[in-house]
Structures are given as structure tokens and as C-alpha cells.
Amino acid sequence: MALVYLDPFEQLQGELERMLDAAFGHAGPSRLSPPVNVFDAGDAYVVKAELPGVTPDMIHIDVEDDTLTLRGERTFSEPNRDAAYHRRERGAGQFRRVVRIPGRLASDEAKAEYRDGVLTVRLPKAKEARPRRVQIEAA
């Protein structure tokens, strides 16, 4: 059975977005807050964020205590100002996503990789939080 950590701040953010959608209409794919997956890989937590169209040099990653913050900017070259859009769903602008990790981290050992529009951040657990094997001594 897998344990799922529910972040109350993420739940609150989702509820606020649902309320705004109800009041002003759904923003659709143009939302800039990147979707993330967070999972436990044994000795580390792994966060995967979808950031298509964002170059790695426009992404800033901060780890403090048990919190990962992703910041950056997505830019697109605009057609000339006289262009009449028929549909505009791709969002551009600054984004910020804060993810609380459910355990203590060795933040100085964090590593990040960006491939095919997906950012993967590996956050090793603090040494005292890592699983360890205990030897049984014969009596």
C-alpha cells in the first residue's frame, strides 16, 4: 500500500483555482504553474515538473529545509502587433511553484536535469532519514 502525502497548501491552491474558474471561466492550458509529480525513490525524493518551452537557463531552483521552489519564465516570440489571434492557449510569463517535500533533505546534494521539456530534481534524503539495513547479532 502506497502512502500519499496530501499537502494542505496545494489543496488550498487547487480550491482557490476552482473558485476562480467558476467566477471567471477556466484559464485552460495557459496556466503557468507547472504540474509536478513527487515520489520517494528510497534514498531520495524525486520531483518531475513539466516545463515545455522553458530553456534551462530561465529556471531557478531553490531548496530550503523541506521546500523546493521552482521559478522561471516562459517566453515566446510574438507575431507582429497587427496579428489577429484565432486561438491563444500557450501562456507566457513568469511562474513560481513551491513544493513541500515530506521529509528531511540533504539539500547540498540536490541535482537537477532537464530533458525534453521535463525538469527532474533529485533531492537526497538527510542521512538520518535514509532507510538503512540493521544487522541482527546472534545471541
Side-chain angles (χ1 to χ4, degrees), residues 20-72:
L20 290 172
D21 287 347
F24 302 109
H26 181 62
S30 66
R31 286 197 183 148
L32 294 177
S33 181
V36 298
N37 288 345
V38 181
F39 59 92
D40 188 333
D43 62 342
Y45 293 100
V46 178
V47 178
K48 290 188 175 263
E50 292 181 7
L51 294 167
V54 180
T55 59
D57 60 324
M58 296 299 289
I59 302 169
H60 303 281
I61 303 167
D62 296 310
V63 181
E64 185 176 342
D65 297 327
D66 63 347
T67 304
L68 169 72
T69 303
L70 303 175
R71 292 180 296 116

mmCIF file of all heavy atoms in Angstrom, residues 20-72:
data_model
loop_
_atom_site.group_PDB
_atom_site.id
_atom_site.type_symbol
_atom_site.label_atom_id
_atom_site.label_comp_id
_atom_site.label_asym_id
_atom_site.label_seq_id
_atom_site.Cartn_x
_atom_site.Cartn_y
_atom_site.Cartn_z
ATOM 1 N N LEU A 20 -11.904 30.488 -8.735
ATOM 2 C CA LEU A 20 -11.665 31.498 -9.766
ATOM 3 C C LEU A 20 -12.171 31.034 -11.122
ATOM 4 O O LEU A 20 -12.713 31.834 -11.896
ATOM 5 C CB LEU A 20 -10.176 31.836 -9.836
ATOM 6 C CG LEU A 20 -9.631 32.615 -8.637
ATOM 7 C CD1 LEU A 20 -8.112 32.713 -8.720
ATOM 8 C CD2 LEU A 20 -10.250 33.998 -8.561
ATOM 9 N N ASP A 21 -12.006 29.747 -11.419
ATOM 10 C CA ASP A 21 -12.535 29.200 -12.670
ATOM 11 C C ASP A 21 -14.050 29.360 -12.729
ATOM 12 O O ASP A 21 -14.609 29.714 -13.767
ATOM 13 C CB ASP A 21 -12.172 27.723 -12.822
ATOM 14 C CG ASP A 21 -10.712 27.501 -13.157
ATOM 15 O OD1 ASP A 21 -10.030 28.483 -13.506
ATOM 16 O OD2 ASP A 21 -10.260 26.347 -13.062
ATOM 17 N N ALA A 22 -14.719 29.100 -11.609
ATOM 18 C CA ALA A 22 -16.172 29.217 -11.569
ATOM 19 C C ALA A 22 -16.609 30.666 -11.774
ATOM 20 O O ALA A 22 -17.611 30.942 -12.429
ATOM 21 C CB ALA A 22 -16.702 28.686 -10.243
ATOM 22 N N ALA A 23 -15.838 31.610 -11.208
ATOM 23 C CA ALA A 23 -16.209 33.018 -11.303
ATOM 24 C C ALA A 23 -15.843 33.642 -12.648
ATOM 25 O O ALA A 23 -16.603 34.435 -13.192
ATOM 26 C CB ALA A 23 -15.554 33.797 -10.165
ATOM 27 N N PHE A 24 -14.673 33.295 -13.173
ATOM 28 C CA PHE A 24 -14.172 33.997 -14.353
ATOM 29 C C PHE A 24 -13.943 33.106 -15.565
ATOM 30 O O PHE A 24 -13.437 33.565 -16.579
ATOM 31 C CB PHE A 24 -12.851 34.703 -14.011
ATOM 32 C CG PHE A 24 -12.989 35.676 -12.882
ATOM 33 C CD1 PHE A 24 -12.437 35.403 -11.649
ATOM 34 C CD2 PHE A 24 -13.698 36.852 -13.054
ATOM 35 C CE1 PHE A 24 -12.574 36.292 -10.598
ATOM 36 C CE2 PHE A 24 -13.837 37.752 -12.014
ATOM 37 C CZ PHE A 24 -13.278 37.470 -10.778
ATOM 38 N N GLY A 25 -14.231 31.839 -15.455
ATOM 39 C CA GLY A 25 -14.004 30.934 -16.570
ATOM 40 C C GLY A 25 -12.670 30.227 -16.439
ATOM 41 O O GLY A 25 -11.756 30.709 -15.791
ATOM 42 N N HIS A 26 -12.581 29.089 -17.059
ATOM 43 C CA HIS A 26 -11.383 28.254 -16.969
ATOM 44 C C HIS A 26 -10.249 28.863 -17.775
ATOM 45 O O HIS A 26 -10.419 29.232 -18.928
ATOM 46 C CB HIS A 26 -11.701 26.846 -17.473
ATOM 47 C CG HIS A 26 -10.555 25.902 -17.391
ATOM 48 N ND1 HIS A 26 -9.968 25.552 -16.208
ATOM 49 C CD2 HIS A 26 -9.887 25.234 -18.351
ATOM 50 C CE1 HIS A 26 -8.979 24.717 -16.442
ATOM 51 N NE2 HIS A 26 -8.917 24.499 -17.741
ATOM 52 N N ALA A 27 -9.079 28.948 -17.155
ATOM 53 C CA ALA A 27 -7.924 29.537 -17.840
ATOM 54 C C ALA A 27 -7.307 28.565 -18.839
ATOM 55 O O ALA A 27 -6.536 28.962 -19.689
ATOM 56 C CB ALA A 27 -6.878 29.967 -16.824
ATOM 57 N N GLY A 28 -7.606 27.288 -18.733
ATOM 58 C CA GLY A 28 -7.122 26.306 -19.696
ATOM 59 C C GLY A 28 -5.626 26.084 -19.634
ATOM 60 O O GLY A 28 -4.988 26.330 -18.619
ATOM 61 N N PRO A 29 -5.042 25.640 -20.737
ATOM 62 C CA PRO A 29 -3.636 25.284 -20.762
ATOM 63 C C PRO A 29 -2.679 26.455 -20.569
ATOM 64 O O PRO A 29 -1.496 26.269 -20.469
ATOM 65 C CB PRO A 29 -3.440 24.673 -22.152
ATOM 66 C CG PRO A 29 -4.789 24.424 -22.688
ATOM 67 C CD PRO A 29 -5.718 25.344 -21.978
ATOM 68 N N SER A 30 -3.173 27.674 -20.539
ATOM 69 C CA SER A 30 -2.273 28.811 -20.435
ATOM 70 C C SER A 30 -1.757 29.047 -19.016
ATOM 71 O O SER A 30 -0.965 29.937 -18.799
ATOM 72 C CB SER A 30 -2.968 30.064 -20.949
ATOM 73 O OG SER A 30 -4.048 30.391 -20.106
ATOM 74 N N ARG A 31 -2.234 28.311 -18.062
ATOM 75 C CA ARG A 31 -1.728 28.475 -16.707
ATOM 76 C C ARG A 31 -0.238 28.221 -16.685
ATOM 77 O O ARG A 31 0.265 27.307 -17.314
ATOM 78 C CB ARG A 31 -2.408 27.484 -15.764
ATOM 79 C CG ARG A 31 -3.814 27.877 -15.478
ATOM 80 C CD ARG A 31 -4.285 27.138 -14.275
ATOM 81 N NE ARG A 31 -5.669 27.493 -14.072
ATOM 82 C CZ ARG A 31 -6.559 26.695 -13.565
ATOM 83 N NH1 ARG A 31 -6.212 25.499 -13.185
ATOM 84 N NH2 ARG A 31 -7.786 27.086 -13.406
ATOM 85 N N LEU A 32 0.469 29.017 -15.918
ATOM 86 C CA LEU A 32 1.918 28.908 -15.927
ATOM 87 C C LEU A 32 2.475 28.073 -14.791
ATOM 88 O O LEU A 32 3.647 27.754 -14.798
ATOM 89 C CB LEU A 32 2.540 30.309 -15.906
ATOM 90 C CG LEU A 32 2.266 31.134 -17.150
ATOM 91 C CD1 LEU A 32 2.870 32.521 -17.003
ATOM 92 C CD2 LEU A 32 2.808 30.456 -18.383
ATOM 93 N N SER A 33 1.680 27.738 -13.801
ATOM 94 C CA SER A 33 2.165 26.921 -12.697
ATOM 95 C C SER A 33 2.396 25.504 -13.222
ATOM 96 O O SER A 33 1.453 24.818 -13.610
ATOM 97 C CB SER A 33 1.133 26.914 -11.573
ATOM 98 O OG SER A 33 1.598 26.149 -10.496
ATOM 99 N N PRO A 34 3.652 25.053 -13.272
ATOM 100 C CA PRO A 34 3.909 23.758 -13.905
ATOM 101 C C PRO A 34 3.381 22.591 -13.066
ATOM 102 O O PRO A 34 3.523 22.593 -11.840
ATOM 103 C CB PRO A 34 5.437 23.714 -14.004
ATOM 104 C CG PRO A 34 5.916 24.619 -12.928
ATOM 105 C CD PRO A 34 4.872 25.686 -12.785
ATOM 106 N N PRO A 35 2.776 21.599 -13.716
ATOM 107 C CA PRO A 35 2.355 20.406 -12.985
ATOM 108 C C PRO A 35 3.579 19.601 -12.548
ATOM 109 O O PRO A 35 4.583 19.551 -13.266
ATOM 110 C CB PRO A 35 1.509 19.631 -13.999
ATOM 111 C CG PRO A 35 1.931 20.140 -15.331
ATOM 112 C CD PRO A 35 2.440 21.543 -15.128
ATOM 113 N N VAL A 36 3.504 19.012 -11.355
ATOM 114 C CA VAL A 36 4.635 18.253 -10.827
ATOM 115 C C VAL A 36 4.182 16.889 -10.324
ATOM 116 O O VAL A 36 3.037 16.709 -9.930
ATOM 117 C CB VAL A 36 5.363 18.998 -9.676
ATOM 118 C CG1 VAL A 36 5.948 20.307 -10.145
ATOM 119 C CG2 VAL A 36 4.448 19.209 -8.499
ATOM 120 N N ASN A 37 5.106 15.950 -10.344
ATOM 121 C CA ASN A 37 4.971 14.659 -9.669
ATOM 122 C C ASN A 37 6.091 14.592 -8.649
ATOM 123 O O ASN A 37 7.231 14.951 -8.962
ATOM 124 C CB ASN A 37 5.111 13.483 -10.635
ATOM 125 C CG ASN A 37 3.917 13.326 -11.543
ATOM 126 O OD1 ASN A 37 2.863 13.903 -11.307
ATOM 127 N ND2 ASN A 37 4.083 12.554 -12.604
ATOM 128 N N VAL A 38 5.778 14.128 -7.442
ATOM 129 C CA VAL A 38 6.783 13.962 -6.394
ATOM 130 C C VAL A 38 6.698 12.518 -5.937
ATOM 131 O O VAL A 38 5.605 12.041 -5.618
ATOM 132 C CB VAL A 38 6.511 14.901 -5.182
ATOM 133 C CG1 VAL A 38 7.575 14.722 -4.118
ATOM 134 C CG2 VAL A 38 6.436 16.348 -5.631
ATOM 135 N N PHE A 39 7.851 11.824 -5.916
ATOM 136 C CA PHE A 39 7.821 10.448 -5.435
ATOM 137 C C PHE A 39 9.074 10.126 -4.637
ATOM 138 O O PHE A 39 10.098 10.782 -4.755
ATOM 139 C CB PHE A 39 7.593 9.445 -6.571
ATOM 140 C CG PHE A 39 8.623 9.480 -7.667
ATOM 141 C CD1 PHE A 39 9.730 8.649 -7.616
ATOM 142 C CD2 PHE A 39 8.480 10.320 -8.758
ATOM 143 C CE1 PHE A 39 10.673 8.661 -8.624
ATOM 144 C CE2 PHE A 39 9.417 10.341 -9.770
ATOM 145 C CZ PHE A 39 10.521 9.504 -9.703
ATOM 146 N N ASP A 40 8.943 9.100 -3.816
ATOM 147 C CA ASP A 40 10.015 8.631 -2.942
ATOM 148 C C ASP A 40 10.771 7.539 -3.684
ATOM 149 O O ASP A 40 10.202 6.520 -4.055
ATOM 150 C CB ASP A 40 9.408 8.091 -1.650
ATOM 151 C CG ASP A 40 10.441 7.751 -0.592
ATOM 152 O OD1 ASP A 40 11.592 7.435 -0.948
ATOM 153 O OD2 ASP A 40 10.086 7.786 0.596
ATOM 154 N N ALA A 41 12.081 7.762 -3.895
ATOM 155 C CA ALA A 41 12.909 6.790 -4.608
ATOM 156 C C ALA A 41 13.849 6.063 -3.649
ATOM 157 O O ALA A 41 14.931 5.635 -4.042
ATOM 158 C CB ALA A 41 13.704 7.490 -5.705
ATOM 159 N N GLY A 42 13.456 5.928 -2.383
ATOM 160 C CA GLY A 42 14.279 5.222 -1.414
ATOM 161 C C GLY A 42 15.229 6.141 -0.682
ATOM 162 O O GLY A 42 14.954 6.596 0.411
ATOM 163 N N ASP A 43 16.345 6.478 -1.316
ATOM 164 C CA ASP A 43 17.340 7.343 -0.664
ATOM 165 C C ASP A 43 17.158 8.811 -1.037
ATOM 166 O O ASP A 43 17.906 9.669 -0.587
ATOM 167 C CB ASP A 43 18.756 6.890 -1.008
ATOM 168 C CG ASP A 43 19.051 6.981 -2.493
ATOM 169 O OD1 ASP A 43 18.090 7.055 -3.289
ATOM 170 O OD2 ASP A 43 20.231 6.971 -2.869
ATOM 171 N N ALA A 44 16.152 9.104 -1.882
ATOM 172 C CA ALA A 44 15.920 10.485 -2.316
ATOM 173 C C ALA A 44 14.459 10.674 -2.690
ATOM 174 O O ALA A 44 13.746 9.708 -2.963
ATOM 175 C CB ALA A 44 16.802 10.823 -3.510
ATOM 176 N N TYR A 45 14.035 11.933 -2.705
ATOM 177 C CA TYR A 45 12.743 12.303 -3.264
ATOM 178 C C TYR A 45 13.022 12.845 -4.661
ATOM 179 O O TYR A 45 14.030 13.513 -4.886
ATOM 180 C CB TYR A 45 12.049 13.375 -2.426
ATOM 181 C CG TYR A 45 11.653 12.879 -1.063
ATOM 182 C CD1 TYR A 45 12.424 13.166 0.048
ATOM 183 C CD2 TYR A 45 10.512 12.108 -0.898
ATOM 184 C CE1 TYR A 45 12.074 12.705 1.301
ATOM 185 C CE2 TYR A 45 10.155 11.634 0.353
ATOM 186 C CZ TYR A 45 10.934 11.933 1.450
ATOM 187 O OH TYR A 45 10.591 11.465 2.684
ATOM 188 N N VAL A 46 12.135 12.544 -5.589
ATOM 189 C CA VAL A 46 12.307 13.000 -6.964
ATOM 190 C C VAL A 46 11.088 13.839 -7.339
ATOM 191 O O VAL A 46 9.948 13.442 -7.097
ATOM 192 C CB VAL A 46 12.462 11.815 -7.939
ATOM 193 C CG1 VAL A 46 12.583 12.303 -9.374
ATOM 194 C CG2 VAL A 46 13.683 10.979 -7.553
ATOM 195 N N VAL A 47 11.365 15.005 -7.913
ATOM 196 C CA VAL A 47 10.312 15.905 -8.372
ATOM 197 C C VAL A 47 10.476 16.054 -9.875
ATOM 198 O O VAL A 47 11.560 16.372 -10.360
ATOM 199 C CB VAL A 47 10.420 17.287 -7.694
ATOM 200 C CG1 VAL A 47 9.343 18.226 -8.226
ATOM 201 C CG2 VAL A 47 10.338 17.157 -6.186
ATOM 202 N N LYS A 48 9.391 15.789 -10.612
ATOM 203 C CA LYS A 48 9.395 15.969 -12.062
ATOM 204 C C LYS A 48 8.377 17.051 -12.385
ATOM 205 O O LYS A 48 7.223 16.952 -11.983
ATOM 206 C CB LYS A 48 9.046 14.674 -12.783
ATOM 207 C CG LYS A 48 10.137 13.623 -12.669
ATOM 208 C CD LYS A 48 9.831 12.430 -13.550
ATOM 209 C CE LYS A 48 10.981 11.460 -13.525
ATOM 210 N NZ LYS A 48 11.870 11.629 -14.649
ATOM 211 N N ALA A 49 8.836 18.074 -13.092
ATOM 212 C CA ALA A 49 7.978 19.197 -13.456
ATOM 213 C C ALA A 49 7.948 19.359 -14.961
ATOM 214 O O ALA A 49 8.991 19.294 -15.619
ATOM 215 C CB ALA A 49 8.490 20.485 -12.800
ATOM 216 N N GLU A 50 6.757 19.577 -15.512
ATOM 217 C CA GLU A 50 6.612 19.805 -16.939
ATOM 218 C C GLU A 50 6.834 21.283 -17.224
ATOM 219 O O GLU A 50 6.104 22.136 -16.740
ATOM 220 C CB GLU A 50 5.221 19.395 -17.409
ATOM 221 C CG GLU A 50 4.985 17.912 -17.341
ATOM 222 C CD GLU A 50 3.599 17.529 -17.843
ATOM 223 O OE1 GLU A 50 2.869 18.403 -18.363
ATOM 224 O OE2 GLU A 50 3.244 16.360 -17.701
ATOM 225 N N LEU A 51 7.868 21.580 -18.018
ATOM 226 C CA LEU A 51 8.207 22.963 -18.364
ATOM 227 C C LEU A 51 8.508 23.095 -19.849
ATOM 228 O O LEU A 51 9.585 23.567 -20.237
ATOM 229 C CB LEU A 51 9.415 23.419 -17.533
ATOM 230 C CG LEU A 51 9.180 23.528 -16.037
ATOM 231 C CD1 LEU A 51 10.492 23.680 -15.294
ATOM 232 C CD2 LEU A 51 8.264 24.703 -15.750
ATOM 233 N N PRO A 52 7.572 22.701 -20.723
ATOM 234 C CA PRO A 52 7.855 22.812 -22.155
ATOM 235 C C PRO A 52 8.011 24.270 -22.563
ATOM 236 O O PRO A 52 7.314 25.147 -22.059
ATOM 237 C CB PRO A 52 6.630 22.175 -22.811
ATOM 238 C CG PRO A 52 5.543 22.335 -21.805
ATOM 239 C CD PRO A 52 6.221 22.234 -20.460
ATOM 240 N N GLY A 53 8.958 24.516 -23.441
ATOM 241 C CA GLY A 53 9.161 25.863 -23.940
ATOM 242 C C GLY A 53 9.996 26.748 -23.036
ATOM 243 O O GLY A 53 10.193 27.908 -23.335
ATOM 244 N N VAL A 54 10.474 26.202 -21.918
ATOM 245 C CA VAL A 54 11.307 26.971 -21.000
ATOM 246 C C VAL A 54 12.738 26.472 -21.148
ATOM 247 O O VAL A 54 12.997 25.279 -21.063
ATOM 248 C CB VAL A 54 10.842 26.801 -19.533
ATOM 249 C CG1 VAL A 54 11.712 27.610 -18.597
ATOM 250 C CG2 VAL A 54 9.385 27.196 -19.380
ATOM 251 N N THR A 55 13.666 27.378 -21.381
ATOM 252 C CA THR A 55 15.058 26.975 -21.503
ATOM 253 C C THR A 55 15.655 26.806 -20.100
ATOM 254 O O THR A 55 15.252 27.508 -19.158
ATOM 255 C CB THR A 55 15.876 28.016 -22.294
ATOM 256 O OG1 THR A 55 15.792 29.272 -21.624
ATOM 257 C CG2 THR A 55 15.361 28.149 -23.718
ATOM 258 N N PRO A 56 16.592 25.875 -19.944
ATOM 259 C CA PRO A 56 17.164 25.614 -18.617
ATOM 260 C C PRO A 56 17.762 26.853 -17.947
ATOM 261 O O PRO A 56 17.699 26.976 -16.729
ATOM 262 C CB PRO A 56 18.247 24.574 -18.888
ATOM 263 C CG PRO A 56 17.819 23.896 -20.141
ATOM 264 C CD PRO A 56 17.111 24.950 -20.947
ATOM 265 N N ASP A 57 18.299 27.780 -18.736
ATOM 266 C CA ASP A 57 18.882 28.977 -18.120
ATOM 267 C C ASP A 57 17.826 29.930 -17.573
ATOM 268 O O ASP A 57 18.150 30.878 -16.859
ATOM 269 C CB ASP A 57 19.811 29.700 -19.100
ATOM 270 C CG ASP A 57 19.099 30.151 -20.357
ATOM 271 O OD1 ASP A 57 18.210 29.432 -20.830
ATOM 272 O OD2 ASP A 57 19.444 31.229 -20.864
ATOM 273 N N MET A 58 16.547 29.687 -17.866
ATOM 274 C CA MET A 58 15.460 30.520 -17.342
ATOM 275 C C MET A 58 14.800 29.885 -16.117
ATOM 276 O O MET A 58 13.796 30.391 -15.615
ATOM 277 C CB MET A 58 14.399 30.753 -18.422
ATOM 278 C CG MET A 58 14.906 31.539 -19.617
ATOM 279 S SD MET A 58 15.474 33.196 -19.187
ATOM 280 C CE MET A 58 13.929 33.985 -18.831
ATOM 281 N N ILE A 59 15.341 28.757 -15.631
ATOM 282 C CA ILE A 59 14.775 28.057 -14.480
ATOM 283 C C ILE A 59 15.685 28.258 -13.276
ATOM 284 O O ILE A 59 16.896 28.074 -13.376
ATOM 285 C CB ILE A 59 14.626 26.542 -14.768
ATOM 286 C CG1 ILE A 59 13.754 26.309 -16.001
ATOM 287 C CG2 ILE A 59 14.052 25.820 -13.551
ATOM 288 C CD1 ILE A 59 13.769 24.875 -16.497
ATOM 289 N N HIS A 60 15.098 28.626 -12.149
ATOM 290 C CA HIS A 60 15.837 28.794 -10.898
ATOM 291 C C HIS A 60 15.255 27.823 -9.877
ATOM 292 O O HIS A 60 14.038 27.769 -9.690
ATOM 293 C CB HIS A 60 15.731 30.222 -10.382
ATOM 294 C CG HIS A 60 16.204 31.234 -11.375
ATOM 295 N ND1 HIS A 60 17.535 31.506 -11.584
ATOM 296 C CD2 HIS A 60 15.514 32.007 -12.245
ATOM 297 C CE1 HIS A 60 17.641 32.422 -12.523
ATOM 298 N NE2 HIS A 60 16.430 32.738 -12.956
ATOM 299 N N ILE A 61 16.136 27.069 -9.232
ATOM 300 C CA ILE A 61 15.717 26.055 -8.265
ATOM 301 C C ILE A 61 16.316 26.404 -6.909
ATOM 302 O O ILE A 61 17.520 26.611 -6.800
ATOM 303 C CB ILE A 61 16.198 24.655 -8.697
ATOM 304 C CG1 ILE A 61 15.687 24.323 -10.093
ATOM 305 C CG2 ILE A 61 15.780 23.605 -7.681
ATOM 306 C CD1 ILE A 61 16.345 23.120 -10.722
ATOM 307 N N ASP A 62 15.471 26.476 -5.889
ATOM 308 C CA ASP A 62 15.919 26.720 -4.521
ATOM 309 C C ASP A 62 15.395 25.611 -3.631
ATOM 310 O O ASP A 62 14.235 25.205 -3.753
ATOM 311 C CB ASP A 62 15.400 28.063 -3.999
ATOM 312 C CG ASP A 62 15.956 29.248 -4.769
ATOM 313 O OD1 ASP A 62 17.188 29.295 -4.942
ATOM 314 O OD2 ASP A 62 15.171 30.111 -5.189
ATOM 315 N N VAL A 63 16.266 25.131 -2.741
ATOM 316 C CA VAL A 63 15.868 24.140 -1.751
ATOM 317 C C VAL A 63 16.195 24.708 -0.381
ATOM 318 O O VAL A 63 17.340 25.084 -0.129
ATOM 319 C CB VAL A 63 16.610 22.794 -1.953
ATOM 320 C CG1 VAL A 63 16.162 21.775 -0.915
ATOM 321 C CG2 VAL A 63 16.397 22.265 -3.355
ATOM 322 N N GLU A 64 15.174 24.794 0.464
ATOM 323 C CA GLU A 64 15.377 25.289 1.818
ATOM 324 C C GLU A 64 14.542 24.434 2.763
ATOM 325 O O GLU A 64 13.329 24.305 2.574
ATOM 326 C CB GLU A 64 14.960 26.754 1.926
ATOM 327 C CG GLU A 64 15.271 27.351 3.273
ATOM 328 C CD GLU A 64 14.942 28.827 3.334
ATOM 329 O OE1 GLU A 64 14.798 29.467 2.284
ATOM 330 O OE2 GLU A 64 14.821 29.324 4.455
ATOM 331 N N ASP A 65 15.210 23.853 3.745
ATOM 332 C CA ASP A 65 14.563 22.937 4.687
ATOM 333 C C ASP A 65 13.857 21.833 3.902
ATOM 334 O O ASP A 65 14.500 21.068 3.222
ATOM 335 C CB ASP A 65 13.617 23.686 5.625
ATOM 336 C CG ASP A 65 14.344 24.691 6.505
ATOM 337 O OD1 ASP A 65 15.503 24.420 6.873
ATOM 338 O OD2 ASP A 65 13.768 25.749 6.802
ATOM 339 N N ASP A 66 12.526 21.765 3.978
ATOM 340 C CA ASP A 66 11.788 20.709 3.285
ATOM 341 C C ASP A 66 10.976 21.261 2.115
ATOM 342 O O ASP A 66 9.973 20.699 1.719
ATOM 343 C CB ASP A 66 10.868 19.980 4.265
ATOM 344 C CG ASP A 66 9.794 20.884 4.859
ATOM 345 O OD1 ASP A 66 9.908 22.122 4.700
ATOM 346 O OD2 ASP A 66 8.857 20.369 5.475
ATOM 347 N N THR A 67 11.435 22.381 1.543
ATOM 348 C CA THR A 67 10.670 23.046 0.491
ATOM 349 C C THR A 67 11.518 23.265 -0.760
ATOM 350 O O THR A 67 12.634 23.755 -0.689
ATOM 351 C CB THR A 67 10.150 24.408 1.003
ATOM 352 O OG1 THR A 67 9.391 24.192 2.191
ATOM 353 C CG2 THR A 67 9.278 25.083 -0.029
ATOM 354 N N LEU A 68 10.943 22.898 -1.901
ATOM 355 C CA LEU A 68 11.560 23.119 -3.203
ATOM 356 C C LEU A 68 10.782 24.230 -3.889
ATOM 357 O O LEU A 68 9.548 24.191 -3.950
ATOM 358 C CB LEU A 68 11.486 21.842 -4.049
ATOM 359 C CG LEU A 68 11.850 21.979 -5.525
ATOM 360 C CD1 LEU A 68 13.346 22.191 -5.677
ATOM 361 C CD2 LEU A 68 11.402 20.760 -6.297
ATOM 362 N N THR A 69 11.500 25.223 -4.392
ATOM 363 C CA THR A 69 10.860 26.315 -5.123
ATOM 364 C C THR A 69 11.420 26.352 -6.539
ATOM 365 O O THR A 69 12.633 26.399 -6.734
ATOM 366 C CB THR A 69 11.120 27.677 -4.434
ATOM 367 O OG1 THR A 69 10.645 27.611 -3.092
ATOM 368 C CG2 THR A 69 10.401 28.797 -5.171
ATOM 369 N N LEU A 70 10.515 26.297 -7.503
ATOM 370 C CA LEU A 70 10.873 26.407 -8.923
ATOM 371 C C LEU A 70 10.370 27.757 -9.406
ATOM 372 O O LEU A 70 9.194 28.081 -9.243
ATOM 373 C CB LEU A 70 10.205 25.304 -9.740
ATOM 374 C CG LEU A 70 10.477 23.868 -9.318
ATOM 375 C CD1 LEU A 70 9.638 22.908 -10.146
ATOM 376 C CD2 LEU A 70 11.942 23.547 -9.452
ATOM 377 N N ARG A 71 11.257 28.544 -9.991
ATOM 378 C CA ARG A 71 10.890 29.843 -10.546
ATOM 379 C C ARG A 71 11.463 29.940 -11.947
ATOM 380 O O ARG A 71 12.472 29.318 -12.251
ATOM 381 C CB ARG A 71 11.467 30.996 -9.716
ATOM 382 C CG ARG A 71 10.886 31.136 -8.352
ATOM 383 C CD ARG A 71 11.490 32.309 -7.572
ATOM 384 N NE ARG A 71 12.913 32.106 -7.331
ATOM 385 C CZ ARG A 71 13.887 32.862 -7.816
ATOM 386 N NH1 ARG A 71 13.626 33.884 -8.589
ATOM 387 N NH2 ARG A 71 15.150 32.604 -7.534
ATOM 388 N N GLY A 72 10.817 30.729 -12.769
ATOM 389 C CA GLY A 72 11.358 30.923 -14.098
ATOM 390 C C GLY A 72 10.445 31.751 -14.957
ATOM 391 O O GLY A 72 9.496 32.378 -14.469
#
